[in-house]
Amino acid sequence: MATIIDMQGVSWKRQKENILYNVNWQVYQGEHWAVLGLNGSGKTTLLNMINGYIWPTQGKVSVLDQSFGKTDLRELRKSIGWVSSSLQEKVKVTDNTEDVVISGKYASIGLYENPNNEDYQKAFKIMDKLGSGHLIGRAYQTCSQGEKQKILIARGLMGSPELLILDEPCNGLDFHSREELMSSVKQLAMQKYGPTIIYVTHHTEEILPVFSHTLLIHQGTIFDKGETANILTSENLSRFFEMTVEIKWHKERAWMTLQN
Ligand SMILES: Nc1ncnc2c1ncn2[C@@H]1O[C@H](COP(=O)(O)OP(=O)(O)O)[C@@H](O)[C@H]1O
Ligand SMILES: [Mg+2]
């Protein structure tokens, strides 16, 4: 079984403080993972490490069977689609939706190379698949928040990645846009030869059944990890959030409420 992510004893220190500490995490082909943690727990830092933007202070990281230190990270990044709302700030006012999508081919925002007809066809196809076909030709900045997120996911898919990382993709979305975006993520995850997906969130109900596994991260360390159904229990999450919560499963999603 191919290993998509292998982190062994990984720590990352800043000013003597451990932002990540002793992370051991393996993701195998055929799995999709949700990463759940509160604000500031280290989720984005963990993703930055997968992308090779930061290097472990201690421990070993290998992504898509390539060990850090022995591989060209720029090449590796082409196999990773990365979607984060921080990308939004980098889009130029004048960019059309399809330009933003195509820029994913070069793993950069803004078009630095002239796209060819094939690039456009590919972008249109991906946008169609994500239900964004009607946005072709529109200025990115005129799209709604939910539409923008879908464009960024399409952008992440432009390089046909083996690994797709979604960092809190539903933040700031209204009920309708959130459900619609999640439904697109579900379709992607169900594709036979689609990318392995890492979905970062702080809402349990966003963890769809396609996410076979869940990692709980707390203050930079792994609190628990394993099959989603075993991780998202009232008892486990009460310990994790340090408050008594109750999980109710409805339509294969875990809804959390506070218990008194
Ligand atoms: N470059 C950095 N230097 C120092 N501290 C950082 C740096 N990046 C992140 N942190 C700190 O690491 C912690 C985890 O941040 P982050 O990974 O962004 O959390 P999350 O994505 O879970 O909200 C925060 O306390 C943040 O302030
Ligand atoms: Mg974050």
Side-chain angles (χ1 to χ4, degrees), residues 102-158:
I102 291 171
S103 74
K105 182 182 166 188
Y106 309 105
S108 63
I109 272 285
L111 285 173
Y112 299 115
E113 292 172 55
N114 284 332
N116 55 36
N117 190 39
E118 219 173 282
D119 294 333
Y120 278 106
Q121 292 314 317
K122 183 166 185 184
F124 295 161
K125 205 169 144 194
I126 296 171
M127 289 171 80
D128 253 345
K129 201 161 74 181
L130 287 173
S132 305
H134 62 291
L135 298 173
I136 293 165
R138 278 265 295 276
Y140 176 82
Q141 300 295 3
T142 66
C143 296
S144 74
Q145 204 57 24
E147 290 167 344
K148 283 178 175 169
Q149 279 301 85
K150 275 199 188 176
I151 297 298
L152 291 183
I153 293 180
R155 176 188 179 276
L157 292 169
M158 188 65 196

Side-chain angles (χ1 to χ4, degrees), residues 6-230:
D6 186 12
M7 289 191 170
Q8 298 197 19
V10 166
S11 298
W12 191 65
K13 246 185 192 170
R14 270 295 161 275
Q15 284 102 33
K16 292 187 190 154
E17 199 188 330
N18 277 308
I19 309 284
L20 294 177
Y21 181 68
N22 195 25
V23 172
N24 291 292
W25 185 30
Q26 283 76 38
V27 171
Y28 298 105
Q29 186 130 43
E31 301 174 346
H32 295 298
W33 281 72
V35 174
L36 184 76
L38 293 174
N39 293 330
S41 56
K43 303 182 297 296
T44 299
T45 308
L46 191 69
L47 302 181
N48 281 334
M49 194 163 283
I50 295 169
N51 267 301
Y53 292 129
I54 57 171
W55 280 53
T57 318
Q58 247 176 36
K60 275 197 250 171
V61 180
S62 120
V63 175
L64 300 169
D65 279 328
Q66 317 229 29
S67 300
F68 284 22
K70 295 180 195 153
T71 193
D72 181 349
L73 290 173
R74 281 166 310 176
E75 277 304 308
L76 175 65
R77 262 179 229 139
K78 287 185 188 160
S79 311
I80 303 175
W82 187 53
V83 179
S84 144
S85 49
S86 68
L87 289 175
Q88 301 224 0
E89 295 149 23
K90 296 184 187 155
V91 177
K92 285 199 261 68
V93 183
T94 50
D95 279 348
N96 270 352
T97 53
E98 63 270 26
D99 299 326
V100 175
V101 174
I102 291 171
S103 74
K105 182 182 166 188
Y106 309 105
S108 63
I109 272 285
L111 285 173
Y112 299 115
E113 292 172 55
N114 284 332
N116 55 36
N117 190 39
E118 219 173 282
D119 294 333
Y120 278 106
Q121 292 314 317
K122 183 166 185 184
F124 295 161
K125 205 169 144 194
I126 296 171
M127 289 171 80
D128 253 345
K129 201 161 74 181
L130 287 173
S132 305
H134 62 291
L135 298 173
I136 293 165
R138 278 265 295 276
Y140 176 82
Q141 300 295 3
T142 66
C143 296
S144 74
Q145 204 57 24
E147 290 167 344
K148 283 178 175 169
Q149 279 301 85
K150 275 199 188 176
I151 297 298
L152 291 183
I153 293 180
R155 176 188 179 276
L157 292 169
M158 188 65 196
S160 307
E162 291 174 62
L163 176 60
L164 180 68
I165 293 173
L166 305 174
D167 191 359
E168 303 193 21
C170 290
N171 268 13
L173 299 190
D174 63 35
F175 176 77
H176 183 265
S177 316
R178 183 170 87 141
E179 291 300 322
E180 205 180 288
L181 191 79
M182 282 163 54
S183 152
S184 298
V185 170
K186 179 175 155 191
Q187 305 279 324
L188 282 178
M190 283 167 55
Q191 275 181 327
K192 201 155 183 210
Y193 299 106
T196 300
I197 302 180
I198 307 290
Y199 185 98
V200 172
T201 181
H202 43 245
H203 298 292
T204 55
E205 73 274 12
E206 284 181 15
I207 303 176
L208 298 172
V210 284
F211 293 98
S212 54
H213 292 74
T214 295
L215 176 106
L216 301 181
I217 182 167
H218 177 63
Q219 293 182 353
T221 63
I222 293 183
F223 180 87
D224 204 357
K225 64 183 180 198
E227 287 184 24
T228 298
N230 298 332

